[in-house]
Amino acid sequence: MSRGVDPPALRRAEWGQAGSVSRAEAAADAVAKLAARVTPGTRLGTKDELRTRCGVSVGTFNETLRLLQTRGVVTVQRGPGGGLFAAEQTPMTRLAHSVLALDASQGDVTQALRIRNALEPLLWQDALWHASPADVKGLRACLEGMAEAAASGDADEFVVANWRLHARVADITPNSLLCSLYVALLELVERHALAVRPQAGVSLAQHIRDRWKLHAAMVDALDKRDEGTLLRLVAEHDTTTAADEE
């Protein structure tokens, strides 16, 4: 994460990946739930025991272990009696994990989206104050991905590109708590792949183009340090975001 701030407790290394990464995350969630039920320092098992318990390959579990260590969920000890042990988690780690440990029912995801939307003004305002030219360039690169998806009418790719943009905005804030909570909520929504659904009377293609234009205008206002326009657009962004979109 930029600005020398610790990375979010639960953050995807890459957005839009599938396959082994998603299986690794599912395994990481399973081990994290196990660790949450015991006191810090408790031995959870060997790497092979936990891999077998999760039902994943060696390569996938290596990614799982990397995720768990990055998130501060486990520590690894070598030698006789070694293995994976429940780590002493920071309050921020516990907060972020509690978000991703939700049941992920439609109600949970909808609530997560509402909370995420409520954090948007804080996040974009921080970006307005702290974004460097390199940050703005990164945001515009995300917009290019959204534009390409909008031009091709690829709704799924548009949503992924949209998530990348929002995650990039989160990278800018120096407020690590805000970043961690926002990204955890964003990841919960992303992991359950909610679909783009335009408002009644609007075609999907037009809806995607309108969403791209709105996000482009938000980045333009940020680049110009136009706080009034940016906050107005953020408010418009939230009111035009359906409960099952983004």
Side-chain angles (χ1 to χ4, degrees), residues 66-128:
R66 185 192 68 78
L67 291 170
L68 291 167
Q69 290 179 296
T70 299
R71 298 169 181 178
V73 175
V74 303
T75 58
V76 178
Q77 297 183 22
R78 310 294 179 184
L84 275 63
F85 293 76
E88 179 70 52
Q89 296 184 12
T90 65
M92 191 175 298
T93 301
R94 290 194 298 271
L95 173 64
H97 180 68
S98 68
V99 173
L100 293 185
L102 292 172
D103 180 63
S105 66
Q106 180 62 48
D108 285 334
V109 176
T110 299
Q111 291 175 26
L113 184 57
R114 289 185 64 198
I115 297 170
R116 191 214 71 169
N117 287 346
L119 297 177
E120 290 279 357
L122 291 175
L123 200 74
W124 283 90
Q125 194 168 45
D126 269 12
L128 181 90

Side-chain angles (χ1 to χ4, degrees), residues 162-214:
N162 189 4
W163 285 327
R164 289 195 187 107
L165 175 68
H166 285 265
R168 187 67 184 81
V169 174
D171 276 340
I172 298 172
T173 177
N175 186 330
S176 57
L177 178 59
L178 173 61
C179 181
S180 286
L181 181 56
Y182 180 88
V183 170
L185 292 165
L186 182 63
E187 184 174 344
L188 175 64
V189 175
E190 181 265 351
R191 286 173 66 183
H192 295 282
L194 302 181
V196 175
R197 293 186 183 178
Q199 295 177 344
V202 179
S203 70
L204 179 60
Q206 183 60 50
H207 178 72
I208 291 175
R209 287 194 296 271
D210 289 345
R211 297 299 293 172
W212 168 74
K213 290 178 182 178
L214 177 59

Side-chain angles (χ1 to χ4, degrees), residues 5-20:
V5 179
D6 290 338
L10 296 178
R11 177 67 185 273
R12 287 276 292 274
E14 297 292 339
W15 290 82
Q17 292 187 352
S20 62

